[in-house]
Amino acid sequence: MIQELRRKLFALADETYKTFNEKLVPGTGETIGVRVPKVRELAKEVAKEDADGFLMEMEAAEGDDFYQEELMLWGMVIGYGKMPLEERFKRLDSWVPKINSWAVCDCGNSTLKFMKKYPEESFAYICKYLESENEYEVRFAAVTLMEYFITEEYIGRLLEIYRKISHEGYYVKMAVAWAVSVCYIKFPGQTRRLLEKEDRQAGGLEDWTHNKAIQKIRESRRVSEEEKTYLNGLKRKISGGKMER
């Protein structure tokens, strides 16, 4: 099945998009050049026809010689397929360690809508990855919490989680900044109180993530100019070198 799906992916390849994508997601393995909507369509087909067979083959495959689109497909099928909750978590435990880019992470977890049906179980499952040393496993946790748990019930817990994340990986820091910016759009009062903390010792975010979150909030059209001006005044001066992508 894997080889047949690989042929289908190559048939959907767009060379122009491949060049663009490799610049956008550098250094994370081979890409075929298939646009994400096309990967989603194929994932839905696989999930409908034989999700279990596909997932078993991917889990049994040796090595890490997967194209980016195959890794996306893997995560998407877990979300689109029909299976018991515990099986989904087991399948995710095979896929999450294979994530090797922000694109695979964010495209794959966007299909995990079953988590809205089982929030407490899913929240507990996601949180175990917060303790990982692997950059993309922590990003998976941060982005998945943002995707499904920025709600009245969970916002307090989320802000505390984002405050405590200390992984130094760039894609973790960016995920936390992105998530905090979304928290601000949906729950400005509670998120503003986090951003008003003077530093991490006072209960705030670490400096770089704090400033990046404010930058992302100020880029939103849903935030007033008055709010943007106020938030700009909360940015911190950071000594030392600038973190580059």
Side-chain angles (χ1 to χ4, degrees):
M1 184 180 290
I2 293 176
Q3 293 302 320
E4 176 60 28
L5 287 171
R6 184 171 290 184
R7 284 192 287 272
K8 288 184 178 181
L9 286 168
F10 270 97
L12 296 169
D14 179 330
E15 191 61 36
T16 301
Y17 180 72
K18 173 179 166 64
T19 301
F20 165 77
N21 190 54
E22 288 179 347
K23 291 179 180 178
L24 191 65
V25 191
T28 53
E30 291 286 331
T31 65
I32 297 172
V34 183
R35 295 179 184 273
V36 174
K38 294 292 184 181
V39 180
R40 290 194 190 285
E41 289 177 13
L42 187 55
K44 288 177 182 178
E45 290 179 20
V46 174
K48 185 177 180 179
E49 293 172 4
D50 189 4
D52 189 59
F54 167 72
L55 294 172
M56 288 181 65
E57 279 195 40
M58 293 297 284
E59 291 164 2
E62 296 182 0
D64 296 306
D65 298 327
F66 296 113
Y67 288 95
Q68 290 285 290
E69 291 86 349
E70 290 175 315
L71 292 173
M72 287 182 188
L73 191 71
W74 186 348
M76 290 176 182
V77 171
I78 296 171
Y80 288 137
K82 292 183 179 181
M83 63 193 80
L85 181 63
E86 288 304 317
E87 184 178 344
R88 287 194 198 275
F89 290 157
K90 181 180 177 181
R91 299 296 195 187
L92 284 172
D93 280 338
S94 294
W95 174 68
V96 172
K98 298 290 186 179
I99 296 173
N100 63 359
S101 75
W102 65 263
V104 169
C105 174
D106 301 359
C107 292
N109 79 0
S110 67
T111 68
L112 307 180
K113 300 187 186 302
F114 68 88
M115 291 188 173
K116 292 183 178 181
K117 187 176 180 180
Y118 303 99
E120 280 301 307
E121 297 92 334
S122 299
F123 187 86
Y125 172 80
I126 295 165
C127 285
K128 73 177 184 178
Y129 284 107
L130 292 167
E131 305 303 320
S132 174
E133 296 181 359
N134 180 295
E135 180 174 8
Y136 291 111
E137 291 185 9
V138 182
R139 182 183 174 92
F140 167 80
V143 175
T144 307
L145 288 171
M146 176 192 72
E147 186 79 30
Y148 302 107
F149 292 93
I150 300 183
T151 64
E152 186 74 41
E153 182 180 357
Y154 287 93
I155 184 62
R157 279 184 272 180
L158 255 61
L159 291 174
E160 183 65 8
I161 284 170
Y162 291 137
R163 183 186 74 80
K164 289 182 175 179
I165 290 176
S166 60
H167 197 287
E168 289 300 311
Y170 173 80
Y171 292 103
V172 171
K173 289 176 178 285
M174 284 297 293
V176 173
W178 177 23
V180 170
S181 74
V182 177
C183 288
Y184 187 91
I185 300 302
K186 295 185 178 182
F187 295 94
Q190 288 152 283
T191 310
R192 188 183 300 113
R193 286 194 288 274
L194 173 65
L195 296 172
E196 287 172 339
K197 303 293 185 182
E198 292 184 1
D199 52 34
R200 191 156 206 168
Q201 286 68 39
L205 299 165
E206 62 88 22
D207 291 343
W208 189 91
T209 306
H210 171 91
N211 286 350
K212 182 61 70 173
I214 289 175
Q215 176 190 324
K216 286 185 168 295
I217 295 166
R218 295 180 74 243
E219 290 170 354
S220 173
R221 296 181 179 179
R222 298 170 64 183
V223 177
S224 71
E225 290 303 317
E226 183 180 3
E227 287 179 273
K228 291 179 181 180
T229 299
Y230 175 73
L231 291 169
N232 195 49
L234 296 179
K235 292 184 76 172
R236 301 173 190 156
K237 291 183 179 180
I238 303 176
S239 61
K242 180 181 178 183
M243 189 172 188
E244 299 291 348
R245 182 165 182 169

